Structures are given as structure tokens and as C-alpha cells.
Amino acid sequence: MKKKLVSVLLCASIVAGMAAGCGNGSSEAEPETTDDGKAKIRMTYWNSEDTVKTLLEYLKEEVPDVEIEFQFIDNSNYDTVVDTQLSAEEGPDIICESPGSALKHARLGYLAEVNDLGAKYSDAGTSVYSYDGNVYALPGISWFEGIYYNKQLFADNNIELPTTFDEYIAVCKQFQDLGIKPLAAGLKSWEPMLKNSMAFVTADYLSTDAGKSFGEDYRNGKTTLDGTWNEYIEKWSSMISEGIYTTDMTGIDHDQALEEFATGKAAMFCSGPWDLDTITSKNPDLQIDMMPFNGTKASDGWLIGGPGCGFAVNESSKNKEAAMKVLEAISTVEGQEAFWQDNQGGSSYLDGAEFDLPEAYTSVTKTLAAGNVYCPWNEWGEAAGAHETYGVEMQSYLLGEQDISQTLKDVDTEVKELLEK
């Protein structure tokens, strides 16, 4: 937004080495207040003010003794600006963090722990913002991806929704026997196989007691994908051996796959709320719903996804108490609903916070209510970008160019290199 340009330029000047800037000042500085005695704090975010407009209005009423200055910093230089400020014990009082940056900042001692407030959220939301046993950011509204399905095709052929992975494979085979393509997929992109396979690993392993510490162990070099995920990817590979994912799909892009599903040529399509309007605009008569991904055991299922951002408090903030009051207000059903108003289509990780989603998400109501929305690579810390390598390697696996072990080893190598930089 144009009115935020001055703030961005001022912060950029810090990166250039200027002493003046947007920081809170030296460690001896007094807490900043307004003329009428309110505590004044700053909140930075890489998304525009429009995405938190309702939330800011709510906070103005809910925390009247605190004035929040919203500062937009473009995503292209967000990390650089914030890193520079935090390293100087300056910077915003409330920082919107990605999981990777939150882990880095927590490790460097830049963030205040928020364990008490974190206890109000599901583990699926706080785990990606946890470091050394403490929670350092509170998860915002999530993005998610599941399996859209054609309700009419399921009903006309008396096919019930699956509750386990084996049942899902059986459903796909039923459609194949009927001459109907079970799943439209644009495997020209590395994303579909990444998300689909990781959703299964989440449901079968990462969400269990045995696997809940994998992300932390992985980014700390204590474990590897190869030797840990092999059995789960082997099980998931039924998607390939049963002809649901096929090599010719590597020539199909996302838009072509969406078109197949929207026009009734495929029974299912993996995507999220961002594609719903496009699907329905192509076929307004399509009866659509979404099912979750399942593991080998019946459960509420899982969606691949994660927090769009995490709210953290600057450990060096001169108005830390005021910043914590703001986070406490956000950590209410009303606060979550206010944030959701400008981010509809996602879900909340806060216990008891549920939203009226479009009818297209009826079959994932329990999944969302359970907080079963999780993004494995969010826990890879500064190696989170290696998830793209994982997707590319899975394409090679589909094409028969390498086995599961080599596929996972290649990702492990990339992750190790990124973490050692």
C-alpha cells in the first residue's frame, strides 16, 4: 500500500547501515507512548494492511490502551529488514513470522516465549513455531489443501467416501473400473506429489507420538528422511502402482487438471480454496465437496497446509507487556474470527474457534475442527526451501529414474547443505 512506502524506505535505510530508522532505539530507551498515554507498538507483516484490516479494528476496541502502527514490508526484502533490526535489538514489537524465520529468530534469542498463550492452540499449529521446548509465535489462519470430489459421480455410482488410505485406493479403482478417471493431477509441477505424499506421511507418522519430533530432529541433523520415511512412501506408492498417478501426467499442468475435474472428466482433484471460484465458474452446476487425506487408520483425516503467518513478540521490545496484551486478544475466538474475515477459506488452530465455511468444505469440517492442518516442511527451519527438491525428486521416482531410498537421500543432501550455510 502506498501509505506504507515511507516505513519501508526507512527500514531499508537500516539495511544500508544508517543509524536512524524504524527501530525502537537503544536498550535504555523508554517505552513509546502516544500523546494521550497509550502504549505505542509496531506490527510488521509481508501482507498488506487489507489482510488484517478487520483484526486491527477489533484490536483497537479490545485493547484500547494500546495503539498499533501497522508496517507493511514487501516480502522480497522482509527477512533482510527484520533480521537487521532484530540483530540491533531494535525492530517491531510484534513480528509476523514464517516458521523458518521464527525458528531462526528464536535460536538467536530475538523472540519472547509465548508458552501460556500457545497452550490455547493445537500442536499442529504451534509445533512449527517451537524451539527447544518453548513456543515463540502463535499460528495465524491457515492455508490448506485437500481432495475436491465430484459429489454427483460418487452418489450416482454408490461410492462412499473413504476413511483410510486403503479405502481411498479402492475408491480410485472403482472409478477406474467404471471408465472414469479417479484423480486429475498436473504432475508437470512438482507440487502435487509433494503434498499428496507428505499428507500421507503426516497422517501415518508425523502426527503420531513416534513422529511428532521428526521435524525438530531433522532440522537439527539428528535424523534423515532416508531410513525413516521409506516405509511410508513405499505404502503411499500404491498411488503409482495402481495407476492413479501415471507418467503421462507429467505432461499435464495445473490448469489442465483443474479443467478435467471441473468438466466432470475426473472424480477428484487435489487443491485448496484458491481454486474454488475457478472450478465453479467453469461449471456452475458442479456439486463439489472436499475430503481429507487419510492414513492407514481411520481418523478425522488431515489437510496439507499451515499457518499463513505466526505472531511473535520482540524480546527487546520496550512495550513487551502491551505486545503480549495484543497477542492475548488475538488468541480469542473473537480475535481469530476478526483475522479470518479478511482471510476466508482458511481455518484456525485456536481451540474452540470454528468458522462457517462454504458448503464445498462440509466433509472436512471435523478435520478443521480438530486442527489437523499441517505442513511438514515448515519444521525444516532454514532448509524449508528444500521441499521443492523433494517434489522434483518424487517426479523422478514416478518416472522410474530412481528408487525411494535415492529419492529421499537426494533431499537429505539438499537439506544438509542448506542448514550448514
Side-chain angles (χ1 to χ4, degrees):
M1 300 180 67
K2 291 183 179 178
K3 65 181 180 179
K4 299 302 175 186
L5 182 58
V6 174
S7 294
V8 178
L9 292 175
L10 284 173
C11 289
S13 70
I14 293 176
V15 180
M18 296 177 64
C22 305
N24 288 328
S26 67
S27 58
E28 291 79 22
E30 292 295 323
E32 188 174 359
T33 59
T34 62
D35 292 340
D36 55 358
K38 294 181 180 180
K40 188 173 182 179
I41 66 173
R42 287 190 302 111
M43 175 191 294
T44 54
Y45 197 9
W46 58 83
N47 282 340
S48 72
E49 190 170 350
D50 291 340
T51 63
V52 289
K53 181 180 179 182
T54 307
L55 175 62
L56 292 175
E57 291 173 352
Y58 164 78
L59 293 172
K60 187 175 181 179
E61 297 294 324
E62 189 67 18
V63 196
D65 57 339
V66 178
E67 181 176 298
I68 302 172
E69 175 193 348
F70 180 83
Q71 179 187 357
F72 164 73
I73 304 175
D74 187 81
N75 200 30
S76 62
N77 65 348
Y78 186 89
D79 288 343
T80 301
V81 172
V82 173
D83 286 354
T84 302
Q85 293 182 16
L86 292 180
S87 66
E89 297 186 359
E90 299 179 340
D93 304 278
I94 296 177
I95 313 153
C96 287
E97 297 266 20
S98 68
S101 65
L103 291 172
K104 176 176 65 176
H105 293 157
R107 176 172 53 82
L108 294 171
Y110 296 160
L111 306 181
E113 59 89 357
V114 288
N115 293 334
D116 290 344
L117 291 175
K120 297 182 177 183
Y121 295 80
S122 70
D123 289 342
T126 57
S127 62
V128 297
Y129 295 115
S130 298
Y131 173 74
D132 200 23
N134 293 309
V135 179
Y136 287 95
L138 304 176
I141 301 302
S142 74
W143 63 272
F144 64 82
E145 178 167 321
I147 308 171
Y148 283 123
Y149 68 95
N150 185 321
K151 293 171 65 176
Q152 193 67 49
L153 284 178
F154 273 73
D156 288 348
N157 294 288
N158 296 314
I159 297 176
E160 296 184 1
L161 292 184
T163 60
T164 67
F165 180 74
D166 287 337
E167 289 179 3
Y168 175 76
I169 296 297
V171 164
C172 289
K173 293 173 74 172
Q174 283 181 272
F175 279 116
Q176 287 173 334
D177 291 343
L178 291 166
I180 299 171
K181 189 173 187 176
L183 180 68
L187 302 189
K188 194 171 185 177
S189 165
W190 48 266
E191 289 194 53
M193 292 189 68
L194 161 84
K195 294 176 178 176
N196 197 295
S197 62
M198 281 200 179
F200 174 76
V201 177
T202 295
D204 232 40
Y205 172 61
L206 299 176
S207 61
T208 68
D209 288 341
K212 64 182 181 181
S213 66
F214 177 85
E216 182 177 358
D217 290 341
Y218 192 43
R219 67 175 178 265
N220 289 327
K222 296 179 180 179
T223 189
T224 56
L225 295 180
D226 184 43
T228 308
W229 282 28
N230 305 60
E231 62 179 291
Y232 304 105
I233 300 300
E234 181 68 41
K235 174 68 177 178
W236 173 86
S237 66
S238 297
M239 293 286 295
I240 298 172
S241 62
E242 296 296 340
I244 301 161
Y245 278 157
T246 57
T247 56
D248 65 293
M249 288 179 173
T250 58
I252 299 174
D253 64 24
H254 176 85
D255 292 342
Q256 290 173 304
L258 184 151
E259 182 82 19
E260 282 186 326
F261 174 69
T263 54
K265 297 176 183 176
M268 293 171 281
F269 175 62
C270 297
S271 189
W274 52 87
D275 274 334
L276 181 59
D277 287 346
T278 303
I279 293 170
T280 54
S281 67
K282 289 181 177 293
N283 186 357
D285 297 325
L286 183 67
Q287 298 180 40
I288 188 174
D289 201 342
M290 178 183 281
M291 71 176 80
F293 297 98
N294 293 295
T296 53
K297 296 179 181 179
S299 69
D300 291 326
W302 284 82
L303 298 171
I304 197 77
C309 75
F311 294 99
V313 171
N314 187 342
E315 178 66 26
S316 297
S317 169
K318 309 307 180 294
N319 272 321
K320 189 186 296 184
E321 183 178 347
M324 287 294 183
K325 287 177 69 174
V326 171
L327 260 62
E328 186 174 354
I330 293 174
S331 301
T332 61
V333 172
E334 294 77 13
Q336 294 290 294
E337 184 172 356
F339 191 24
W340 179 80
Q341 286 299 328
D342 299 312
N343 299 272
Q344 293 188 24
S347 63
S348 172
Y349 293 95
L350 183 76
D351 293 341
E354 299 179 24
F355 308 127
D356 293 328
L357 292 171
E359 200 172 323
Y361 305 109
T362 301
S363 295
V364 291
T365 300
K366 288 185 177 180
T367 308
L368 293 169
N372 290 358
V373 183
Y374 183 71
C375 179
W377 62 88
N378 273 349
E379 292 199 330
W380 294 4
E382 294 174 60
H387 73 284
E388 180 174 344
T389 299
Y390 176 100
V392 172
E393 293 298 325
M394 288 297 290
Q395 286 176 310
S396 296
Y397 172 61
L398 168 67
L399 294 170
E401 297 172 355
Q402 59 199 30
D403 61 17
I404 290 173
S405 180
Q406 188 60 53
T407 297
L408 299 178
K409 282 180 180 176
D410 289 346
V411 182
D412 288 334
T413 299
E414 174 72 8
V415 168
K416 184 178 179 181
E417 291 175 355
L418 288 172
L419 292 175
E420 288 178 348
K421 284 185 177 179

